[in-house]
Structures are given as structure tokens and as C-alpha cells.
Amino acid sequence: MPVPAIAPSALAAARQSPHTLLDVRTAGELAIVALPESLHIPLDELEERHPEIPADRPVLVLCHHGVRSLHAAAFLLGLGYEAINIQGGIDALSLRVDPRLPRY
């Protein structure tokens, strides 16, 4: 099943409607840079913690470069969530959208 995705530049528009922003990076990565409104569930905890994610709105999934978020979005799609991968992750956000975000 193909995973829907959006470019980092489209994130601002996507955030104008009800959604959940899910960050699947590690706690160490989150300490470097985080988007304050995100729900943090590391990818390796997603299988057990996915019930914490509201199922009544799209889930925009974020990681560092977009690979872990792709896997997380595919997993969530299989469970019936409307999951969307943010291509390029927070690194692409810092390069293309908001250079104030620290890179690592």
C-alpha cells in the first residue's frame, strides 16, 4: 500500500486543519529540536503505544530524514489511521522551511 506523503513546505497548510503531529524520533533527538505541538512516540514503541494517537483525524508523521516516519505511517495505515509521511523529516524542515530549527 503506498504511503501518502507531503513535502515539508506543505506542512504549514496541512496544520491548518485538525491533525495530530506524531514525532517518532528518539528522546535524544527530541532534546536537540522538537516541534512543541507534536506527540512523541518513538518508532520502537509505536506498536504498543499507538492507542494514544487520536484516530479521528489525520496523523502527520515526522522523524529526522523521513525513513522512520515512512515506516510508522505504513504501520498506522495498516491499523486504519489516516497517516501521512512528512518527506525529508525535520532536517528538510530546517533546510527548506524554518532555518531556525537546529540541524543534527
Side-chain angles (χ1 to χ4, degrees):
M1 162 186 323
V3 175
I6 60 170
S9 59
L11 182 58
R15 290 162 80 182
Q16 297 304 312
S17 58
H19 70 282
T20 297
L21 179 60
L22 175 64
D23 192 328
V24 297
R25 296 176 299 139
T26 66
E29 290 173 294
L30 203 68
I32 297 168
V33 58
L35 300 178
E37 72 279 9
S38 63
L39 170 62
H40 178 235
I41 301 178
L43 181 60
D44 64 353
E45 298 175 17
L46 188 58
E47 187 172 346
E48 87 178 28
R49 292 184 55 197
H50 72 83
E52 297 173 32
I53 304 167
D56 61 344
R57 63 188 116 173
V59 181
L60 307 175
V61 189
L62 175 75
C63 70
H64 186 204
H65 287 118
V67 177
R68 286 174 286 175
S69 58
L70 176 68
H71 292 289
F75 172 74
L76 293 172
L77 283 168
L79 296 176
Y81 288 87
E82 181 183 347
I84 303 163
N85 183 36
I86 301 171
Q87 296 174 324
I90 201 154
D91 191 57
L93 275 171
S94 68
L95 286 171
R96 299 181 194 136
V97 178
D98 188 352
R100 296 170 297 170
L101 295 173
R103 292 189 69 216
Y104 62 98

